[in-house]
């Protein structure tokens, strides 16, 4: 079941796509304009962090382990208040 969900979402993406580009397109498609303004700001903050911490990483090389390592690193650099327009 999990594989089927994957195949219907990111599994259909061009694996040479850069992860930041994929995430940004995902935000534009599924989140922006559909969530609260503060939530959009949090997504934008995460996008900036992805751009900084995972530059030029293609979907092909984005494994669960690499993504979890990113999340762990993000937790160490994330300020207690990410609700800014920077």
């Amino acid at each position: 079941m999990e594989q089927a969900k994957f195949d219907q979402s990111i599994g259909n993406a061009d694996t040479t796509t850069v992860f930041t580009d994929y995430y940004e397109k995902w935000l534009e498609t599924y989140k922006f304009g559909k969530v609260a303004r503060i939530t959009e700001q949090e997504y934008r903050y995460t996008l900036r962090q992805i751009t900084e911490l995972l530059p030029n990483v293609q979907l092909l090389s984005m494994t669960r382990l690499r993504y979890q390592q990113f999340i762990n690193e993000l937790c160490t650099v994330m300020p207690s208040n990410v609700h800014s327009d920077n």
Side-chain angles (χ1 to χ4, degrees):
M1 182 164 174
E2 186 175 321
Q3 184 64 44
K5 287 181 185 179
F6 176 82
D7 290 342
Q8 292 174 5
S9 60
I10 197 170
N12 288 330
D14 177 358
T15 57
T16 62
T17 300
V18 175
F19 183 71
T20 52
D21 294 341
Y22 177 84
Y23 183 73
E24 186 170 23
K25 187 173 206 73
W26 178 82
L27 290 175
E28 291 169 356
T29 303
Y30 296 105
K31 298 299 177 182
F32 292 162
K34 299 172 180 92
V35 296
R37 184 174 152 293
I38 195 76
T39 304
E40 278 193 25
Q41 290 174 345
E42 291 171 351
Y43 280 125
R44 289 182 196 283
Y45 174 82
T46 302
L47 178 59
R48 287 193 304 272
Q49 293 306 307
I50 290 172
T51 301
E52 182 179 320
L53 299 172
L54 295 171
N56 303 315
V57 173
Q58 294 181 333
L59 289 178
L60 180 67
S61 62
M62 181 54 74
T63 63
R64 289 180 181 195
L65 176 60
R66 189 166 196 179
Y67 189 67
Q68 185 61 55
Q69 290 169 334
F70 161 72
I71 292 170
N72 294 348
E73 187 172 356
L74 181 62
C75 290
T76 66
V77 299
M78 183 178 278
S80 59
N81 182 359
V82 297
H83 309 296
S84 68
D85 290 329
N86 295 345

